[in-house]
Amino acid sequence: MEHASSPWVGLAYLVAGVLFIMALRGLSSPGTSRAGNRYGMIGMTIAVATTLVTHSIASLPEIAVAIAIGGGIGFIIARRIQMTAMPQLVAAFHSLVGLAAVLVGLAAYANPEAFGILDAQGLIEPQSRVEMGLGIAIGAITFSGSIIAFLKLAGKMSGAAILLPGRHVINLGTLLAILGLVGWFTQDQSAWVIATITALSFVIGFLLIIPIGGADMPVVVSMLNSYSGWAAAAMGFTLHNTAMIITGALVGSSGAILSYIMCKAMNRSFLSVIAGGFGAEAAAGGGAAKEQRPWKRGSAEDAAFLMKEAENVIIIPGYGMAVSQAQHVLREMGDVLKANGVNVKYAIHPVAGRMPGHMNVLLAEANVPYDEVFELEDIQGDFAQADVAFVIGANDVVNPAAKTDKSSPIYGMPVFDVDKAKTIFFVKRSMGGVGYSGVDNDVFYMDQTMMLLADAKKMVEEIVKALQH
């Protein structure tokens, strides 16, 4: 706990808070992301150092050992993790933040005197009980929800929406019970109350994420990020730690804003995402035989010839690129095309991949120049002048049904106008698969489309070889 009588403590936390805001500002653009990361690290160093100097709970050696263990594990994981596994890593880290909030809250309940939250009667102060109850509840929801998100993203659990009967009634009832118990906790600080809040919160975190399908995972990741921030802010009040309150509020609000932006990009409400089940109806109806429609198969040589002769090529990456780890060879293909005088651009959809900025991260890792990467609204008008639209691992984000079919589950979602390009190359493993929405894609059957059916990385490698001969 900090010493309120020390004015420099407040100043140090204020400086840390400003640096955190600068970090968020820097992370808003790939070009300034490194500087943003540095601001964040400096701010956190100041915050942690200030807390260590002013603490009065644990000994410095104990804290140093904990930091060394946690920092060592984090360093090893960061060095070994593949960029394609970043979504599940982020979900795993969110779960740790939630668990930390739960443990801090339970520690404060078990030893309130050490946290300075006792009143004159020797009971936990009512406002501290509210902060503690909400912090534990949000932390537990974040923990169990993040575990489910991790399992789905890592492929250890089906990415499809798992719909439980009566889930809306169960979820609403459980949430109301948690809020009711937090209110009751202000009047009765018995152990059973805090234990029940904790248990129900773990359960509702599981129930909230289970029915959400893989297509909505980017929103889920940003939503869980927001939850972790609010959990940290609530614990900041319990610990009387200004830095935690500032940091938690920044993370919570930025995560909530990002969730809203991504929902808007899918033309869906936040509540519809939380309700889950997106694409489940289409998947359930997938048992009927699909109409056989004519389509054209292309080859690596076809793609190499037409792209080499093109003036403008737009590349649209998606999750399939991440799965096959094709980002490096894709950048190599772009370099070869540019060496032949072709204008190459990369088009990134807000919800492409399995976490916010997933495609941006992969392309940055492959050293694709930032000025060649464009968001949907900045490149949409270029497709009419594009000679080739090269779709690799994307599906729903280029599906024209979002613009034309009112019965489609993706209707109204902004998508790339790839159908306006002169030629479309569509890299896909097979004709049998559909996007996470479960909707067939008319682009497959268009006259200007050639399907390149193969593993994305192998196909692009063959195209590069053909370009170099």
Side-chain angles (χ1 to χ4, degrees):
M1 286 168 52
E2 64 186 73
H3 299 303
S5 58
S6 303
W8 71 267
V9 173
L11 179 61
Y13 284 146
L14 177 62
V15 171
V18 171
L19 286 168
F20 293 146
I21 294 172
M22 293 172 65
L24 286 176
R25 179 69 182 89
L27 292 171
S28 65
S29 168
T32 59
S33 59
R34 290 181 184 273
N37 266 323
R38 284 194 290 269
Y39 290 138
M41 288 188 289
I42 295 170
M44 187 56 68
T45 300
I46 293 173
V48 170
T50 303
T51 303
L52 289 178
V53 171
T54 60
H55 81 283
S56 59
I57 295 180
S59 68
L60 284 175
E62 291 174 333
I63 294 174
V65 170
I67 291 175
I69 293 173
I73 294 173
F75 178 81
I76 293 172
I77 292 174
R79 295 287 292 179
R80 293 182 177 179
I81 195 71
Q82 296 291 325
M83 293 301 290
T84 49
M86 196 58 68
Q88 49 263 48
L89 177 66
V90 171
F93 282 169
H94 287 162
S95 73
L96 296 179
V97 176
L99 183 60
V102 173
L103 294 177
V104 169
L106 293 177
Y109 175 79
N111 190 7
E113 184 177 2
F115 288 80
I117 55 176
L118 288 180
D119 59 17
Q121 287 75 40
L123 299 174
I124 300 174
E125 296 173 346
Q127 70 271 22
S128 295
R129 298 188 206 180
V130 174
E131 297 157 3
M132 189 185 302
L134 290 177
I136 289 175
I138 299 171
I141 291 170
T142 304
F143 174 74
S144 55
S146 297
I147 292 298
I148 298 301
F150 169 81
L151 294 174
K152 283 181 175 256
L153 289 165
K156 300 181 184 299
M157 174 184 286
S158 171
I162 302 173
L163 307 183
L164 303 177
R167 67 187 187 281
H168 298 314
V169 175
I170 294 172
N171 292 349
L172 182 60
T174 306
L175 287 171
L176 290 175
I178 292 171
L179 292 175
L181 284 168
V182 171
W184 182 259
F185 188 50
T186 62
Q187 306 300 316
D188 179 6
Q189 64 177 54
S190 300
W192 74 266
V193 180
I194 200 71
T196 307
I197 290 173
T198 305
L200 287 178
S201 299
F202 279 129
V203 171
I204 194 61
F206 171 82
L207 294 176
L208 283 174
I209 306 302
I210 275 289
I212 301 178
D216 288 330
M217 274 301 134
V219 178
V220 170
V221 171
S222 61
M223 178 186 72
L224 292 170
N225 179 57
S226 179
Y227 289 176
S228 69
W230 298 124
M235 287 300 104
F237 282 105
T238 300
L239 297 173
H240 306 297
N241 188 293
T242 308
M244 282 187 69
I245 297 171
I246 294 174
T247 308
L250 286 172
V251 173
S253 57
S254 60
I257 292 170
L258 181 58
S259 298
Y260 168 77
I261 292 172
M262 301 192 76
C263 287
K264 189 177 179 181
M266 296 189 295
N267 195 41
R268 300 178 58 214
S269 69
F270 183 72
L271 289 178
S272 72
V273 174
I274 299 302
F278 180 64
E281 293 82 3
K290 287 201 305 182
E291 177 188 356
Q292 296 298 315
R293 301 166 63 183
W295 54 276
K296 290 185 290 187
R297 183 165 191 160
S299 66
E301 290 73 21
D302 295 330
F305 175 77
L306 288 176
M307 285 196 288
K308 199 170 185 178
E309 297 297 318
E311 183 177 344
N312 296 300
V313 171
I314 300 178
I315 299 171
I316 305 96
Y319 186 59
M321 181 197 75
V323 172
S324 65
Q325 301 186 43
Q327 63 269 25
H328 292 281
V329 67
L330 187 66
R331 190 262 308 156
E332 184 181 353
M333 184 186 82
D335 289 344
V336 175
L337 289 173
K338 287 186 291 183
N340 283 276
V342 180
N343 180 30
V344 178
K345 295 180 180 179
Y346 297 81
I348 307 297
H349 196 279
V351 294
R354 293 295 175 268
M355 73 173 184
H358 195 182
M359 296 300 106
N360 302 75
V361 169
L362 293 176
L363 294 181
E365 188 230 352
N367 295 317
V368 172
Y370 299 139
D371 58 359
E372 294 178 8
V373 180
F374 297 86
E375 301 295 333
L376 185 146
E377 62 271 14
D378 298 322
I379 201 171
Q380 189 73 298
D382 293 0
F383 283 97
Q385 289 78 44
D387 298 295
V388 174
F390 189 86
V391 185
I392 174 169
N395 198 328
D396 289 335
V397 299
V398 298
N399 194 333
K403 298 179 291 184
T404 60
D405 185 1
K406 292 185 178 181
S407 65
S408 171
I410 62 172
Y411 180 72
M413 182 177 85
V415 294
F416 290 117
D417 293 334
V418 296
D419 51 311
K420 294 182 179 180
K422 293 178 183 176
T423 302
I424 304 168
F425 287 108
F426 211 116
V427 183
K428 201 170 178 291
R429 283 186 178 272
S430 70
M431 289 298 293
V434 292
Y436 262 104
S437 66
V439 180
D440 201 9
N441 195 333
D442 286 340
V443 172
F444 301 162
Y445 315 104
M446 290 181 174
D447 291 337
Q448 74 266 43
T449 301
M450 292 190 198
M451 301 299 298
L452 305 178
L453 303 183
D455 173 78
K457 184 177 181 181
K458 291 180 180 178
M459 175 55 70
V460 178
E461 285 174 344
E462 292 178 12
I463 293 172
V464 171
K465 289 179 183 177
L467 285 169
Q468 292 172 338
H469 286 87

